[in-house]
Amino acid sequence: MSDTENMIVLEAVEKIYPGSSSPAVERLDMAIPRGEIVMLIGPSGCGKTTTLKMMNRLIEPTGGRIILDGDDVTDVNGDQLRRKIGYVIQQGGLFPHYSIADNIGVVPKMLGWDKNRIKERADELLHLVGLEPSTYRDRYPRQLSGGQQQRVGVARALAADPPVMLMDEPFGAIDPITRDRLQDEFLEIQRTVGKTICFVTHDLQEAVKLGDRIAVFGTGGRLAQYDSPDTVLTSPADDFVSDFVGGGAAVRRLSLLELSRLELHPIETEEKAVGNRNGTPVAEVDGSGRPVAWRHLPDRDAAGTTLVTVPLSGTVYDAVDVMLDGSASLVAVVDEEGLPQGVLHWNDLVAGLKTRERGA
Amino acid sequence: MNVFQYFSANSQQILFLTQAHFLYVLICVGIGSAISIVLGLIVSTGEPNPTRFSFDWWATGIREGSLLITAAVLTVPSLALFVLFLPITGLGVTTAIIVLTVYSLYTVLRNTVAGLTSVDRAVLESARGLGYGRVRRLLTIQLPLAWPVILNGIRVTTLISISIAVVGSIVQGPGLGQLLLTGITRIGAANAFPQVLIGTFMCLVVAAVFEIAFAIVQRLTIPRGIRV
Ligand SMILES: Nc1ncnc2c1ncn2[C@@H]1O[C@H](COP(=O)(O)OP(=O)(O)O)[C@@H](O)[C@H]1O
Ligand SMILES: [Mg+2]
């Protein structure tokens, strides 16, 4: 009965709270593949938190089975089970009387690691979540901002290197700008740690940005659709999902499309382009080769067009944002060093975006 | 004899009574606080809405019951309570200690319960999510976080006990009550006034010593992360 593909499997899991007649989660079947980020999303009160908490048995299911990494954990000791599963909640929940390093070390300490190893691990994780260990390890939670506390919360959940992380709206109480940065960092971290992550959110944008898959819940813990973000946006399974996804699905899809996957138009820089003023836009570059202004554009006045740039690691959504912001009808896509890699035109959006083969 | 003459003539006895008073309060508040804190820890583990006949359900019942009883005790005039115990435990130190201990229960119990149950729910939930069992959560998270509130309860109880301890001399309890009672019952007679004045003053000295001790204990035992 061992299932190597899936890290977490819920089989007909059900929760009826005492004193309640209708189930909060009704006979839920769901499989979470190893190494993927699965986003649980749905209207408030639909049973996302209940579902998540049944995975580590913070809430005991009233029916069904929970399989973790091939083992039935429906009846094992809950406390011991939870030490092997990372858990992050919205309000951080750091222990106010423990230093940051001690907070990160709580699970390793329970598991009996020796002191030096715990210390090293705390430093390593602080580094991973972007907090300088020498500055932060001896501080206390109240001396950290909300965003920093949430980073420590993630570090603490990762401390004993659990294969699975459960996160309940971890960035829900963070201001939008910080949240955006935390999401980017989160994806970066996941690229190095490769955990199986179950992540509750009520923010569709967040679900689309972070998820390998999205599970859309309807009221009563009904799993309405469980698919890739692209599929959820483009072909909602039923009226409920399409209402939930709402209008703007086409715009949201833009944030799924990475610029690195697109066929971009070529771009020339000044020196190379002498005598080649045909259909290729030519940019003027500074000393380090970064484009600063348009020298020549094939079909319009170069001097009157602002040169805006977007990093290659961004999405089409970012490119559109930059173009709107700069009132420019084209954008130069640049690499990490700021060197031009190509051009994306406003017209490409309507004409249909050409993608290259993945991994090419 | 004026106050100073009386003091110098009887300094040894006065200092003995002061020291006895201090120890009397220390012992009673110590025992009372220990009982209250342990009881508080046992009954405060509960969930907000426990299911019937579960451990938490009983704990909630015992908690409310003991708060009610200890509060009721506080409203009995201290003089009467000392006398009410006379038929059971007789004249002397035993009765004095039992009654003062009983008096000291409520404030510490109430503060213990309040402190333990007011710990941030997010902190408790994340502790549970990380695999903290009930007892570990109680002792390593709730207790340290509730400690400033509990300590404050002990401090208030101590101050109240210093004055109630005086009444203990009615059953021949130890401490400055003996001096004060002698003075009060013989008011108008020679030395009666200096006795009352010195007895009162030494009670203040005892209170000051306790306050200093509390300031030190507070400094030493409240975790750095939650010091204000
Ligand atoms: N401890 C509880 N006792 C009784 N009902 C609860 C409890 N927790 C949640 N519920 C109910 O179960 C349903 C699902 O709640 P929850 O899982 O928290 O939803 P979500 O996280 O999707 O907002 C809600 O109707 C809520 O009122
Ligand atoms: Mg929720």
Side-chain angles (χ1 to χ4, degrees):
Chain A
M1 184 62 238
S2 148
D3 188 341
T4 47
E5 284 283 289
N6 295 315
M7 182 58 101
I8 307 170
V9 178
L10 303 182
E11 287 180 5
V13 164
E14 179 186 70
K15 178 67 188 181
I16 303 174
Y17 283 107
S20 162
S21 50
S22 60
V25 173
E26 192 173 6
R27 289 190 66 81
L28 175 66
D29 289 294
M30 194 175 169
I32 295 172
R34 202 175 284 276
E36 289 198 3
I37 302 178
V38 169
M39 308 294 287
L40 309 184
I41 193 168
S44 175
C46 68
K48 306 181 291 293
T49 297
T50 304
T51 303
L52 192 80
K53 284 187 175 175
M54 285 194 287
M55 292 179 189
N56 66 1
R57 303 241 323 279
L58 272 177
I59 291 177
E60 296 290 355
T62 42
R65 299 203 307 145
I66 301 151
I67 319 272
L68 181 80
D69 203 3
D71 299 324
D72 189 332
V73 294
T74 323
D75 299 308
V76 304
N77 177 302
D79 289 326
Q80 255 137 46
L81 173 70
R82 287 186 279 274
R83 289 175 204 172
K84 292 184 284 184
I85 299 177
Y87 187 60
V88 186
I89 56 174
Q90 178 171 343
Q91 305 87 343
L94 299 182
F95 304 157
H97 56 310
Y98 280 13
S99 72
I100 297 307
D102 288 345
N103 261 289
I104 296 175
V106 292
V107 180
K109 197 172 160 203
M110 276 191 280
L111 296 176
W113 293 20
D114 74 54
K115 273 195 176 138
N116 281 330
R117 186 161 161 229
I118 297 176
K119 229 182 240 168
E120 278 164 30
R121 182 68 178 150
D123 280 5
E124 185 184 325
L125 285 163
L126 278 172
H127 201 78
L128 181 74
V129 298
L131 296 172
E132 173 54 39
S134 60
T135 315
Y136 290 99
R137 71 164 83 86
D138 295 323
R139 290 208 184 167
Y140 286 92
R142 65 181 170 136
Q143 298 167 308
L144 267 57
S145 72
Q148 290 170 333
Q149 290 191 21
Q150 223 40 354
R151 288 188 171 97
V152 176
V154 172
R156 180 172 69 173
L158 284 168
D161 207 13
V164 175
M165 297 263 285
L166 305 178
M167 311 178 83
D168 196 347
E169 307 198 22
F171 310 140
I174 309 282
D175 68 274
I177 295 168
T178 312
R179 188 194 309 151
D180 208 51
R181 209 171 52 233
L182 286 176
Q183 289 167 346
D184 292 337
E185 289 173 8
F186 172 74
L187 285 175
E188 197 58 46
I189 291 171
Q190 168 66 354
R191 222 160 280 151
T192 52
V193 297
K195 302 292 180 195
T196 305
I197 297 172
C198 208
F199 190 124
V200 170
T201 182
H202 59 255
D203 177 2
L204 186 61
Q205 191 67 41
E206 181 168 73
V208 166
K209 178 172 173 181
L210 302 181
D212 294 310
R213 282 164 194 247
I214 296 181
V216 185
F217 281 78
T219 29
R222 181 183 68 93
L223 186 55
Q225 187 168 10
Y226 185 35
D227 264 314
S228 71
D230 209 23
T231 315
V232 170
L233 292 177
T234 50
S235 33
D238 56 22
D239 288 349
F240 171 78
V241 179
S242 97
D243 275 355
F244 185 77
V245 170
V251 174
R252 286 211 177 82
R253 268 191 75 217
L254 296 179
S255 63
L256 287 175
L257 218 45
E258 288 152 24
L259 290 167
S260 53
R261 281 178 56 203
L262 293 186
E263 293 262 24
L264 299 170
H265 300 286
I267 181 170
E268 294 284 1
T269 52
E270 219 173 354
E271 310 101 87
K272 282 191 256 163
V274 181
N276 176 25
R277 300 204 158 176
N278 46 26
T280 310
V282 181
E284 198 175 311
V285 297
D286 66 6
S288 15
R290 300 191 184 100
V292 289
W294 293 117
R295 169 58 56 88
H296 166 76
L297 292 173
D299 50 0
R300 76 207 83 184
D301 171 28
T305 310
T306 336
L307 189 148
V308 289
T309 62
V310 64
L312 190 60
S313 58
T315 63
V316 179
Y317 188 90
D318 299 325
V320 169
D321 190 46
V322 165
M323 282 192 267
L324 287 175
D325 205 36
S327 308
S329 60
L330 79 173
V331 56
V333 181
V334 297
D335 65 11
E336 278 140 46
E337 274 91 54
L339 305 179
Q341 297 298 307
V343 165
L344 186 71
H345 286 279
W346 186 258
N347 285 344
D348 298 338
L349 298 171
V350 237
L353 294 158
K354 290 197 199 90
T355 53
R356 294 184 291 181
E357 284 302 303
R358 212 167 235 236
Chain B
M1 271 203 270
N2 70 19
V3 173
F4 297 102
Q5 285 164 334
Y6 182 85
F7 187 90
S8 48
N10 300 281
S11 63
Q12 216 161 357
Q13 190 221 0
I14 292 168
L15 286 180
F16 172 77
L17 290 177
T18 306
Q19 186 197 327
H21 200 87
F22 180 84
L23 288 176
Y24 176 31
V25 171
L26 186 70
I27 289 168
C28 295
V29 171
I31 298 172
S33 300
I35 294 172
S36 294
I37 292 172
V38 170
L39 182 63
L41 282 171
I42 295 171
V43 300
S44 301
T45 56
E47 310 283 316
N49 296 308
T51 46
R52 198 176 268 241
F53 303 128
S54 64
F55 177 82
D56 294 306
W57 188 82
W58 289 108
T60 309
I62 295 171
R63 181 175 75 219
E64 296 310 313
S66 41
L67 278 173
L68 193 72
I69 293 167
T70 50
V73 166
L74 266 194
T75 66
V76 177
S78 48
L79 192 63
L81 198 63
F82 279 108
V83 175
L84 284 174
F85 265 82
L86 271 185
I88 313 166
T89 45
L91 278 177
V93 179
T94 317
T95 307
I97 286 183
I98 290 176
V99 172
L100 193 58
T101 303
V102 168
Y103 258 105
S104 71
L105 293 175
Y106 175 72
T107 314
V108 182
L109 180 62
R110 196 202 55 191
N111 279 31
T112 304
V113 168
L116 292 174
T117 49
S118 67
V119 170
D120 187 358
R121 294 206 67 77
V123 170
L124 293 182
E125 199 205 308
S126 69
R128 232 155 76 73
L130 294 167
Y132 274 65
R134 184 173 202 136
V135 174
R136 190 191 293 264
R137 211 160 63 226
L138 194 63
L139 296 181
T140 65
I141 312 241
Q142 283 174 283
L143 186 57
L145 292 179
W147 184 240
V149 180
I150 298 173
L151 200 59
N152 216 28
I154 300 176
R155 201 178 126 207
V156 171
T157 276
T158 304
L159 294 182
I160 296 171
S161 295
I162 291 171
S163 64
I164 292 180
V166 170
V167 185
S169 62
I170 205 94
V171 294
Q172 290 176 11
L176 292 163
Q178 292 178 6
L179 189 66
L180 276 158
L181 202 69
T182 326
I184 289 164
T185 47
R186 292 169 43 253
I187 205 79
N191 292 339
F193 187 70
Q195 284 173 338
V196 173
L197 201 64
I198 290 172
T200 309
F201 179 75
M202 293 318 273
C203 278
L204 287 177
V205 171
V206 170
V209 172
F210 271 116
E211 282 293 285
I212 292 167
F214 273 112
I216 295 169
V217 170
Q218 222 162 22
R219 191 81 207 147
L220 293 179
T221 59
I222 295 182
R224 215 148 63 79
I226 56 171
R227 253 181 239 157
V228 278

